[in-house]
Amino acid sequence: MPPYIPLIIDEKIMAYSDVRDLEWPNYEDLYLPKLVPFLRDAKQALQYIKDLQLGKDAIILATYPRSGTHWIWEITGMLLKGKAEYSKVSREQVFVEGLSDMSQMQSYNGVISTHVPFEWLPKQHVDNGGKIIYVVRNPKDTAVSIHSFLCSIGLIRSNTFEEFIHELYLGRKAMYGGWFEYNKSFIQEARRRDQILMLSYEKLKRNTEAEIRRLASFLGVKCTEGLITEISELTSFSKLQQADKSVREDKKMADIMKELQLNEAPTVYRKGEIGDWKNYFTVALNEEFDKAYAERMNDVDLQIEFE
Ligand code: A3P
């Protein structure tokens, strides 16, 4: 992939769309969000990520969108630094497919964030036993969070939740292959590879200090109980929401959105709750979703909290 080619965006692509008309970039059956590398050439971008040669101490933070990436990225950064201190750079600086020049990630030795499915992760990192933090969040809250985010960037309208679920979440065009396929393959890989730490948003929320301790041990970081408590407090939803506005020295999220001609200040820190889906799913939609979940996850042993 060339290092940087400015993207000419068709205005129609980025204007508010009917959910049904929203065309994601895709490679065969894998639909991807509207990010510059995917809009240029989805197949090439995926291949570039798969071929990335990361540094030997790199850690991949693998998440389906809106599963708590920013939160866990911040906690991980504090653990690695050994200090309860917010990062001055935003997580978007290391969001590989959000970068118009992904070559910045060659030889990168820190935490890199991506939503690509397991099979597209940097192969050399996976084959060499490189560390991967994988986070799962219950699919109903994830759906609400993605829908709200897409509304906040101006891609879809807020009255479209049910259509969104049908067309872009349960349907074939669900981004990154959809919540089900994405998580099924990561769960299977996490069960057979020590290099993957599987975290759950709900467990982290309910039992924050114990989960931070587990993450510290996976990272091989020694830290005091005092530090764990401090990290837990500093990364609570309200503190992190505030810090994100005041601490960052870059505007990478705004830059990404500007390049795509979308709203430059989307809502990343929205509610941070378990069970907010109840405010969005009708009884009928919930029944339909539960049926789809039971069918599609019947071969996976996943205990996940919905409320
Ligand atoms: P909601 O939209 O449900 O509020 P990601 O970082 O992967 O984009 O995920 C964003 C989701 O994580 C948002 O969910 C956001 O509010 C939530 N989140 C961020 N920080 C959090 C925290 N400290 N505690 C709980 N949830 C948090």
Side-chain angles (χ1 to χ4, degrees), residues 63-72 91 115 137 141-142 144-146 148-149 201 205 235-238 240-241 267-273 276:
T63 51
Y64 196 69
R66 310 295 295 164
S67 299
T69 318
H70 292 76
W71 183 19
I72 289 155
R91 166 265 173 184
H115 302 311
R137 183 182 193 188
D141 283 330
T142 305
V144 168
S145 189
I146 294 177
S148 305
F149 186 79
Y201 177 99
K205 179 104 187 151
T235 57
S236 69
F237 176 78
S238 56
L240 209 46
Q241 185 184 42
T267 311
V268 174
Y269 296 87
R270 191 186 59 93
K271 269 197 180 172
E273 286 174 6
D276 188 39

Side-chain angles (χ1 to χ4, degrees), residues 24-185:
W24 301 122
N26 69 303
Y27 169 53
E28 295 179 345
D29 280 341
L30 185 64
Y31 286 81
L32 297 156
K34 295 184 173 191
L35 291 165
V36 168
F38 294 144
L39 286 165
R40 279 198 201 118
D41 186 327
K43 180 185 175 193
Q44 238 186 47
L46 286 168
Q47 195 60 50
Y48 191 91
I49 295 170
K50 188 162 180 155
D51 293 342
L52 269 176
Q53 303 284 312
L54 300 175
K56 72 173 178 32
D57 296 326
I59 298 164
I60 295 178
L61 175 55
T63 51
Y64 196 69
R66 310 295 295 164
S67 299
T69 318
H70 292 76
W71 183 19
I72 289 155
W73 175 79
E74 192 82 53
I75 294 173
T76 307
M78 290 184 184
L79 286 172
L80 292 172
K81 263 191 293 192
K83 259 192 193 165
E85 194 178 271
Y86 297 113
S87 167
K88 294 207 165 66
V89 297
S90 63
R91 166 265 173 184
E92 277 60 39
Q93 294 280 3
V94 296
F95 175 37
V96 60
E97 64 264 37
L99 303 173
S100 55
D101 178 3
M102 296 195 288
S103 69
Q104 293 167 48
M105 287 291 123
Q106 294 290 359
S107 308
Y108 190 71
N109 238 337
V111 179
I112 101 158
S113 166
T114 182
H115 302 311
V116 296
F118 184 84
E119 61 169 308
W120 292 103
L121 289 186
K123 186 170 176 346
Q124 152 265 9
H125 184 87
V126 174
D127 290 351
N128 291 346
K131 288 184 177 157
I132 300 167
I133 301 165
Y134 154 62
V135 187
V136 61
R137 183 182 193 188
N138 86 60
K140 295 180 191 175
D141 283 330
T142 305
V144 168
S145 189
I146 294 177
H147 179 260
S148 305
F149 186 79
L150 294 178
C151 295
S152 87
I153 60 176
L155 261 186
I156 58 177
R157 293 185 195 281
S158 57
N159 60 353
T160 54
F161 186 67
E162 193 154 339
E163 280 172 283
F164 164 79
I165 292 290
H166 288 140
E167 300 289 323
L168 299 178
Y169 202 73
L170 293 177
R172 159 182 98 77
K173 289 189 179 174
M175 69 170 98
Y176 292 106
W179 186 96
F180 297 90
E181 290 312 312
Y182 178 95
N183 285 289
K184 267 161 86 160
S185 78

